[in-house]
Amino acid sequence: MATPKKNPVICFCNGVKKDRIEKAISRGCNSLNKIFDSTSAGLGPCGGSCRPKLKYMLETYEKTGKFPENPEPKGSRKKRR
């Protein structure tokens, strides 16, 4: 039995999932503004806390032609004490 592909919510304010953002990028959204317009991700009342993830996904796709498995940018997690 195949393991289902993870499809986490990237933009919690607007409920935008990873696959929707990936589709937008692969269909030509090659800037953050185009991703915002196409998906509504990054435009929530929180002020865009998901924007670093969107940027990381876009940059990774532009460099490698693939999306990161984990959309969390490296080094972005705060260390816990």
Side-chain angles (χ1 to χ4, degrees), residues 7 16-25 38-40:
N7 189 23
V16 184
K17 293 187 175 188
K18 184 180 178 206
D19 68 342
R20 185 167 170 203
I21 296 164
E22 289 175 348
K23 285 177 188 175
I25 293 170
S38 178
T39 68
S40 77

Side-chain angles (χ1 to χ4, degrees), residues 3 7-9 12-13 15 17 21-22 27 35 37-39 44-45 49 52 57 61 67 71 74 80-81:
T3 304
N7 189 23
V9 173
F12 287 97
C13 292
K17 293 187 175 188
I21 296 164
E22 289 175 348
R27 291 180 179 163
I35 295 170
D37 291 344
S38 178
T39 68
S49 63
M57 291 174 72
Y61 184 78
F67 292 101
K74 292 173 178 46
R80 295 184 184 195
R81 294 182 180 184

Side-chain angles (χ1 to χ4, degrees), residues 33-72:
N33 284 334
K34 289 180 181 179
I35 295 170
F36 303 155
D37 291 344
S38 178
T39 68
S40 77
L43 301 174
C46 74
S49 63
C50 63
R51 289 180 181 194
K53 291 179 185 179
L54 300 174
K55 182 178 178 187
Y56 180 64
M57 291 174 72
L58 178 60
E59 288 175 347
T60 301
Y61 184 78
E62 287 177 337
K63 288 178 186 176
T64 67
K66 297 180 183 178
F67 292 101
E69 190 172 320
N70 178 1
E72 191 73 42

